[in-house]
Amino acid sequence: MPNIDGNAIAQQVLAEVKAGVEALAPLIPHVVFVRVGDDPASVSYVNKKQKTAAAAGIRSSLRLFPEETSRETLLACIDGLNADPDVHGILVQAPLPPQFDEREVFNRITPAKDVDGFTSASIGGIVQENPAATAACTPAGIIELLRRSGVATSGRHAVVVGRSLIVGKPAALLLLAKGLDATVTVAHSRTRDLGAITRQAEILIAAIGRPGFITADMVREGAVVIDVGINRVPDASRKAGYRITGDVDYAGVAPKAALITPVPGGVGPMTVAMLMRNTLAAARAAAGMRATGPQPLPANHHAVP
Ligand code: GUN
């Protein structure tokens, strides 16, 4: 049950991004984070993204708005960032307070600056298998973890549990695309007899948002298990008062898995690394350089039994 080390793989990606950023000099890629309200998880994610940007040589700025901000104010902010040639990437941190229609807000971002990959143009580009389309960071990170861990996907049955815009749907589309060629099943909260489906998975992607939801009896022997969950579970023994756990019951599932991502230290760091890669790509495109599509699998890739 070897772990997939997301921290180590994210460091590799970030080293490549940093080299790409240096090669762009004197242009410095610039990403702007927009945060509305003080959701503790969002505060922590945006902090992490800003720190990682700095380490990769990427400039970042933060636009902060109070919880009660109006739709018009937020849309005007996005319009201003869209028009600013000094800004290459825009990320509006989700979730937004209830007065917002997240779809409207995401779609307001001009596709060239959509480093999150949430606009309908970006999602449509992924459906069309356009190599220049921006893939959402978490699913792109999952694919990169699989590639760099030598997991073959072609013809294999991948089961994605979760159908969100941020993870489930784009992860399914990427796995299905030519080159990766997985046979993909998407399951969700209304799926009947979920275990019967997850037990077929050679590659199981858990993106449900419920701690420990995937138990050992739901996993096929030898499966590759990717745990996307980042759940805060109250824990009085921790200084923060909580601990982070995944959607997979790691202790029960790990002995059955060929490979498994831990939480923390699996998918999480990859999401941030892929955001930096998307920002570099947006800055390169703004500088008139051609987008590079997904790279072929490394020659030494092997099927995990
Ligand atoms: N909230 C949780 N994950 C994400 C993400 O990848 N991007 C944004 N913008 N918000 C999120």
Side-chain angles (χ1 to χ4, degrees):
M1 50 132 192
N3 273 348
I4 295 180
D5 186 344
N7 283 316
I9 297 175
Q11 283 309 317
Q12 287 173 13
V13 172
L14 286 168
E16 292 163 14
V17 170
K18 190 160 186 274
V21 169
E22 283 161 5
L24 263 188
L27 182 70
I28 298 175
H30 180 199
V31 57
V32 178
F33 299 110
V34 179
R35 207 186 78 214
V36 184
D38 294 311
D39 171 65
S42 292
V43 172
S44 139
Y45 291 152
V46 172
N47 280 343
K48 176 79 189 156
K49 290 170 186 175
Q50 287 208 274
K51 280 200 186 121
T52 307
I58 291 173
R59 180 179 159 210
S60 76
S61 315
L62 179 58
R63 301 287 173 93
L64 278 180
F65 292 93
E67 186 83 22
E68 62 279 6
T69 297
S70 71
R71 166 183 175 273
E72 290 70 23
T73 302
L74 186 60
L75 294 181
C77 167
I78 294 171
D79 291 346
L81 296 171
N82 283 341
D84 184 347
D86 187 40
V87 171
H88 306 111
I90 303 168
L91 181 148
V92 179
Q93 184 67 31
L96 288 169
Q99 70 270 29
F100 293 103
D101 171 355
E102 283 188 355
R103 186 167 45 194
E104 178 188 40
V105 172
F106 293 144
N107 282 339
R108 192 76 164 213
I109 297 169
T110 196
K113 300 188 182 187
D114 174 24
V115 287
D116 246 338
F118 294 167
T119 60
S120 50
S122 294
I123 294 272
I126 296 299
V127 175
Q128 289 183 333
E129 301 186 22
N130 177 351
T134 302
C137 303
T138 300
I142 293 168
I143 301 303
E144 207 59 38
L145 281 180
L146 294 173
R147 282 159 43 88
R148 296 192 192 221
S149 304
V151 176
T153 51
S154 180
R156 302 179 92 196
H157 192 179
V159 176
V160 179
V161 190
R163 54 176 156 176
S164 68
L165 169 74
I166 293 182
V167 186
K169 264 185 280 208
L173 288 168
L174 292 175
L175 286 161
L176 186 62
K178 287 195 190 68
L180 287 171
D181 300 311
T183 300
V184 181
T185 299
V186 183
H188 50 81
S189 54
R190 298 294 171 91
T191 296
R192 264 187 290 129
D193 200 359
L194 179 62
I197 292 173
T198 56
R199 276 190 292 278
Q200 295 174 34
E202 297 170 276
I203 299 166
L204 180 60
I205 316 273
I208 311 118
R210 286 206 244 159
F213 184 80
I214 301 289
T215 47
D217 58 300
M218 299 168 78
V219 177
R220 167 177 172 153
E221 194 74 43
V224 174
V225 179
I226 306 292
D227 187 352
V228 187
I230 304 181
N231 305 292
R232 290 186 174 205
V233 176
D235 184 343
S237 73
R238 302 291 177 102
K239 201 166 71 179
Y242 66 86
R243 69 192 141 82
I244 300 287
T245 52
D247 289 350
V248 174
D249 169 26
Y250 181 90
V253 168
K256 289 182 87 171
L259 287 172
I260 184 166
T261 59
V263 176
V267 174
M270 288 304 291
T271 295
V272 185
M274 299 315 282
L275 172 66
M276 301 310 146
R277 192 154 98 171
N278 285 349
T279 301
L280 170 62
R284 286 169 57 96
M289 296 166 79
R290 233 164 46 83
T292 51
Q295 303 303 304
L297 283 167
N300 65 348
H301 84 275
H302 60 276
V304 172

